[in-house]
């Protein structure tokens, strides 16, 4: 598969215009290999894998079913899959010409010449393999359905930016994130500890998934021009800036409305209001997304990732609070 990627890279290079669309060459000040690999993992985004495990473990603990080793394994699987997806995205976006000199986001190591596409793809598949290896413990603990779920998560991570129908290039990135980093991650974390698919975990997964999707919405809003030029038809490219900002707002409104709905449905107790402590932060981010554009959205992107983790921590505390 790496040899195929190299052939695809040569094909993309041959088809690019001579000016204005190719990624920059290697940086004159190439960093150390350690720094390059850490940058490639996109550490600021890894909270997206941590937040659902925090919430799913809280729903399990509320049922007196907290299983530390299972929770740790679920966290490891989530982090490995996210890093693998990030690495594959870095390499394949470069190979497809989506990461260019005009890109306004943080550095991408393949496009910057810090690491080769071959190296980054090898790292991606190593992470996916590590996720599968750790996941075997969870399969042994809770049965074969987790084998199917884990396989789908890994295949989707690979297919996010490559294959015949790459998810990110078809405007399905937000749906992928909502499903796998929201519904699957939270309810799956609860399942490996409790052994059941429970409404408490499913309801808690909705705001977690919405805020995780909001992270991607900001990313795609920032990159709308370069993605359009590279024929990367994200949802932002398809619907435009104004509707993408509305999409971000809907994600935030849905997330902050969820605790009240969970309380009404009987899946959240008397501390249901606790996630609303983060509401001023969310309002500030919404204003920034409506006001800013281009590289100025990098701050909103980092802020949304922090909001996601903060909201998850507050929701977990609400879940563990008193019933009445």
């Amino acid at each position: 598969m790496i040899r195929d990627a190299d052939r695809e890279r040569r094909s993309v290079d041959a088809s690019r215009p001579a000016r204005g669309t190719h990624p920059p060459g290697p940086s004159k000040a190439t960093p150390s290999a350690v720094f390059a690999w850490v940058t490639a993992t996109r550490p600021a985004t890894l909270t997206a894998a941590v937040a659902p495990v925090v919430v799913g473990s809280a729903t399990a603990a509320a049922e007196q079913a907290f299983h530390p080793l299972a929770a740790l394994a679920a966290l490891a699987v989530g982090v490995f899959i996210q890093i693998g997806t990030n690495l594959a995205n870095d390499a394949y976006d470069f190979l497809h010409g989506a990461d260019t000199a005009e890109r306004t986001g943080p550095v991408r190591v393949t496009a910057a010449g810090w690491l080769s596409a071959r190296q980054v793809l090898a790292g991606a598949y190593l992470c996916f393999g590590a996720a599968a290896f750790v996941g075997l413990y969870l399969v042994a603990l809770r049965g074969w359905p987790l084998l199917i779920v884990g396989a789908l998560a890994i295949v989707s991570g690979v297919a996010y930016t490559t294959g015949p129908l790459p998810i990110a290039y078809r405007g399905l990135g937000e749906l992928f994130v909502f499903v796998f980093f929201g519904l699957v991650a939270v309810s799956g974390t609860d399942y490996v500890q409790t052994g059941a698919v429970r409404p408490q975990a499913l309801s808690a997964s909705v705001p977690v998934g919405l805020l995780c999707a909001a992270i991607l919405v900001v990313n795609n809003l920032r990159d709308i021009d370069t993605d359009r030029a590279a024929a990367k038809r994200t949802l932002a490219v398809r619907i435009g800036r104004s509707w993408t900002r509305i999409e971000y707002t809907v994600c935030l409104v849905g997330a902050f409305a969820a605790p009240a709905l969970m309380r009404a449905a009987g899946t959240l107790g008397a501390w249901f209001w606790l996630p609303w402590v983060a509401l001023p932060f969310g309002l500030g981010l919404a204003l920034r997304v409506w006001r800013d554009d281009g590289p100025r959205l990098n701050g909103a992107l980092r802020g949304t990732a922090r909001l996601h983790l903060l909201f998850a921590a507050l929701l977990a505390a609400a879940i563990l609070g008193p019933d009445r």
Side-chain angles (χ1 to χ4, degrees):
M1 187 170 290
I2 294 174
R3 288 194 296 271
D4 291 342
D6 286 342
R7 285 195 294 270
E8 185 179 0
R9 167 72 175 88
R10 289 193 292 270
S11 174
V12 170
D13 283 345
S15 64
R16 286 179 184 157
R19 295 171 63 89
T21 59
H22 57 81
S27 170
K28 292 182 180 179
T30 302
S32 68
V34 172
F35 182 83
W37 278 109
V38 170
T39 301
T41 66
R42 307 182 194 178
T45 71
L46 297 185
T47 57
V50 175
V53 176
V54 170
V55 174
S57 294
T59 60
E63 289 295 306
Q64 307 299 315
F66 179 62
H67 191 306
L69 189 56
L72 184 61
L75 176 62
V77 168
V79 170
F80 278 131
I81 288 177
Q82 184 173 3
I83 292 176
T85 303
N86 287 346
L87 293 174
N89 176 259
D90 192 302
Y92 283 120
D93 269 355
F94 171 68
L95 294 171
H96 292 309
D99 283 346
T100 70
E102 288 76 27
R103 187 176 181 277
T104 58
V107 66
R108 293 292 177 254
V109 298
T110 314
W114 294 359
L115 297 169
S116 70
R118 179 186 292 269
Q119 289 174 306
V120 175
L121 287 174
Y125 292 111
L126 182 63
C127 286
F128 289 133
F133 180 76
V134 176
L136 290 176
Y137 163 71
L138 298 176
V139 172
L141 183 67
R142 293 300 180 192
W144 63 266
L146 287 179
L147 185 63
I148 297 174
V149 173
L152 286 174
I154 291 173
V155 168
S156 296
V158 175
Y160 188 75
T161 45
T162 192
L165 294 172
I167 293 169
Y169 286 69
R170 295 296 182 271
L172 299 173
E174 288 87 347
L175 179 62
F176 163 82
V177 167
F178 176 76
V179 170
F180 284 101
F181 287 90
L183 304 183
V184 172
V186 175
S187 58
T189 299
D190 181 88
Y191 177 81
V192 299
Q193 297 176 71
T194 65
V197 178
R198 304 184 309 115
Q200 291 85 352
L202 284 171
S203 62
S205 72
V206 172
V208 175
L210 286 172
L211 288 178
C212 194
I215 299 172
L216 183 60
V217 173
V218 181
N219 180 85
N220 290 345
L221 176 63
R222 181 199 62 204
D223 294 343
I224 195 168
D225 290 330
T226 52
D227 285 345
R228 183 183 290 114
K232 183 177 181 180
R233 292 183 56 78
T234 63
L235 187 57
V237 169
R238 292 169 183 268
I239 66 178
R241 283 185 170 81
S242 294
W243 281 105
T244 301
R245 290 184 167 102
I246 291 172
E247 179 192 10
Y248 180 85
T249 304
V250 168
C251 286
L252 263 61
V253 169
F256 280 102
L261 297 176
M262 292 169 65
R263 174 62 169 170
T267 58
L268 196 56
W271 287 5
F272 73 95
W273 51 268
L274 197 55
W276 293 344
V277 171
L279 185 56
F281 188 23
L283 290 173
L285 286 168
L287 290 173
R288 291 181 68 178
V289 167
W290 278 94
R291 179 193 65 208
D292 294 342
D293 214 344
R296 288 178 296 178
L297 286 169
N298 287 328
L301 179 61
R302 292 188 295 269
T304 305
R306 290 193 290 267
L307 173 64
H308 182 228
L309 185 59
L310 174 61
F311 185 98
L314 293 170
L315 179 59
I319 291 168
L320 294 171
D323 291 336
R324 292 182 172 81

